[in-house]
Amino acid sequence: MLGSIFCLMAFNQMAFAQVTTDVEPNHDRKKIGLVLSGGGAKGAAHIGVIEVLEANRIPVDIVTGTSMGAYVGGMYAMGLDATEVKNRTFGADWEGGYKERVGRNDLVLRRKQQNDDYQLHTDLGISLEGEFKSKPGAFQGQGMAVLLRSLTHNLPTLKSFDDLAIPYRSVATDIAKVQPVVLDSGHLATTMQASMTVPGALKPVIWNNKQLVDGGVVNNMPVDVAKSLGADVIIAVDLRDPLLPESDLNSALNIISQLTTFMTNSNTDHQISLMKEGDVYLQPDVAFMTAPDFDKMELAYQAGKNVARASLPQLLPYQLSEEDYIAYIKAKQDRRSRLSSRPAYYIDNIVLDNHTLLSDQALLALLDLPVDRVISTEELEKAVERLHAQDNFSRITYFIDQKGDENVLNLDVTEKSWGPGYLNFKFSFEDDFTNRSDFSFGAQYIYTDLTDRGGEWKLEWEIGSWKKVNTEFYFPIDYKQEYFTAFGLGWNNEIRKFTAGNDSFSTLEPGLFNFETQYEDVNTFAEIGWNIRPWSALKVGYQGQRGDVTLIDSDGTKEKYTAYGPYIAATHDTLDSYYFPSAGLLVDARFGHSQTSSQVGSNEADDKTFYYDINLMKPFSYDRHTVSALVKTGGSDSNELLPIYVQDLGGLFNLSGYHRYELNGRYRAFGALIYRYRWIDNDFGIFSTPIYLGGSLEQGGVWNDKSDISWNSAITAGSVYIGIDSPIGPVYLGYGLADGKESSVYFSLGGSFK
């Protein structure tokens, strides 16, 4: 501890000396080039090497790097010392750099609702002619672009990387020609990303009309580039992977890995052959980890320090005197001070590089970023995130270009190349092991950009216990997509059970008290709406439906009906997850007035019906504990024998103990408190599958007559469960118990059935 304090005091004295001394750097000494190879998380070893160089007053005059070496080298070239580079690097969420989509709470409301119902978000590109379109990479690089901009503090473009505190170059691969490309100017974060873009995993970076990927394919340790910049002495750090033993070459992936390692090591061996006597070659011992092991960066950092310390006999001949090193640091910090990396910029203009089917006006309106004012980096990133929340773009990048006295924000917006038609799926399965199994499989096709304002067509198809086909057209009225119109058509087929304790259904069939029905209808709607905020909307519309209700296992008794009339609906949704929420609020309400007509045999009824449906969910979280309050209520005052606007309960967390949709009626009231404990995180970086333990307390019921609604007639229920938030939707294994000794064991996979 005391040693650390003395070191800190010495560093402060050195920093003070940097400001006060007038000693000029020694320009006659040999120029030292630091060459850093690629290696993913192993690149933390580079920081350890740099720390030893600084501790021993060994200067660096030129930096070149590939892949993770391009990142570390670029950070050091900005003028940061080893401690600053380490703090930023170790504090970064590298695994988050591979997360492409914004979180659910950041998606626009329309996308939330689409994704919640069709939770298998495959995002497959399918044209209207049925042609499949492949993605250019498993990940599109949006998350990595955001991360690197943050780490470089949004440094504006440079005409030459010679203008950095230390002259710098990174190396990428032109994948079309499989040739090295030396990046010597432009936006530092983008050139870093180009050099780090793993082929096949990440979408190539476009630079000067070239498609660039990781430079490790052709030049993983660019000694030749450092020499071309005038380096007299090379300090090269090689993070190569060893070849796999023959016993491990038992899978296609391992064989491909072996070939990639051989190619990378071969081009590195060529670079080593360019080194001469007096150059220093360092190979940290990082064989214990692989490129994605970001949780082992501290060990890699120590490995870098160890190999540099062990090589001090070769390094110390290049040590400067204290006086010369102070002059070197001062000159480097002077150059760093000229770089305009700062948390906010005055933006004079925005220039769009629009690679979408939307108009420039639409993109600028969605960006919602007025110019001729100071804009913080945080505000810029939020604007980009706001645009990305449309979920139509593969990558949105920007850089600040200083042209004379103006700061120009250059925004590059690229639409998904496999669009504009996307196919997603849903799969749901539930079995209560006693009475009923329910399953549902469905597909959702969304065709975007029908208009330059972002019009869409949606088609949904579902088979299983319940069946439906729906189609909808959605047209924003203004470029900001604040106001919209929509219209659609649908067909539904549902099986529902009714139970009566009196002869209220005797008109249908004498003595009938428990029966199943099949609801089948065709419906249509047209509406106009206001997106109040990205997470809130208000809609006013007109809907109509025509259908019939058939009594199953009867002599064909059927109720035919029609209903049409206006409605108003409002939604506010800021939940961070629909199935396992820990924050936010969901309020969804719909009120309507319909002219209804029904007929059973010779019995006809006409009525003017008011109906309503209100749902509320609010989670409360502390540490790993969450309690969600859930309220559902709905009903209609129509007088048809079987309700058109039917309300249901049953299933896990929906009056546990009963099977799904077992209770149906004209009115519903339900409340629940659902507890959840996050037991196991299962965080795999790119995705996570947390496991939860919990239970619920529930109270509610369904009624056919409004006069029957009472607390005393409501049913009390509860459950215990284990849940998994999996990539294919929620998975539950639970047990429910309700009044009257109704109980069920549940296993469910996937989302809702409605």
Side-chain angles (χ1 to χ4, degrees), residues 360-539:
D360 288 358
Q361 297 97 312
L363 291 178
L364 289 172
L366 291 171
L367 195 66
D368 193 20
L369 202 63
V371 296
D372 291 325
R373 64 188 183 93
V374 175
I375 301 176
S376 68
T377 298
E378 181 181 2
E379 188 178 356
L380 281 173
E381 293 295 345
K382 284 186 176 179
V384 169
E385 188 175 87
R386 191 161 50 245
L387 195 57
H388 198 50
Q390 300 293 319
D391 209 25
N392 291 340
F393 311 113
S394 62
R395 187 184 291 170
I396 304 169
T397 59
Y398 72 87
F399 59 87
I400 297 167
D401 196 5
Q402 296 176 320
K403 295 183 176 180
D405 295 331
E406 285 193 343
N407 289 329
V408 179
L409 175 64
N410 290 266
L411 190 71
D412 187 321
V413 185
T414 303
E415 198 155 33
K416 295 175 180 177
S417 61
W418 58 98
Y422 309 99
L423 189 63
N424 299 304
F425 299 94
K426 70 180 297 183
F427 174 73
S428 303
F429 172 79
E430 181 174 301
D431 197 323
D432 62 9
F433 297 100
T434 54
N435 298 314
R436 182 168 174 169
S437 295
D438 291 291
F439 83 95
S440 173
F441 176 79
Q444 175 195 71
Y445 183 72
I446 300 174
Y447 192 87
T448 62
D449 298 340
L450 287 177
T451 67
D452 67 348
R453 289 170 170 82
E456 294 183 357
W457 171 52
K458 180 180 71 173
L459 175 65
E460 295 178 340
W461 165 78
E462 189 175 325
I463 60 174
S465 303
W466 287 18
K467 304 171 182 65
K468 72 176 183 180
V469 179
N470 292 326
T471 187
E472 174 189 314
F473 288 90
Y474 172 86
F475 295 110
I477 298 173
D478 60 321
Y479 286 115
K480 198 175 180 180
Q481 299 185 8
E482 191 170 353
Y483 301 98
F484 64 89
T485 61
F487 59 90
L489 180 70
W491 170 82
N492 293 285
N493 187 300
E494 307 168 354
I495 302 296
R496 293 184 177 275
K497 179 180 178 181
F498 287 86
T499 301
N502 51 50
D503 61 354
S504 60
F505 295 108
S506 60
T507 305
L508 295 171
E509 191 170 312
L512 188 64
F513 297 102
N514 298 284
F515 54 93
E516 283 193 333
T517 63
Q518 176 179 281
Y519 274 71
E520 184 174 7
D521 72 80
V522 176
N523 56 79
T524 185
F525 76 93
E527 64 187 18
I528 185 169
W530 173 26
N531 288 316
I532 305 170
R533 301 295 294 273
W535 53 83
S536 300
L538 180 66
K539 300 182 290 187

Side-chain angles (χ1 to χ4, degrees), residues 353-367:
D353 194 0
N354 186 354
H355 302 284
T356 77
L357 296 178
L358 295 178
S359 65
D360 288 358
Q361 297 97 312
L363 291 178
L364 289 172
L366 291 171
L367 195 66

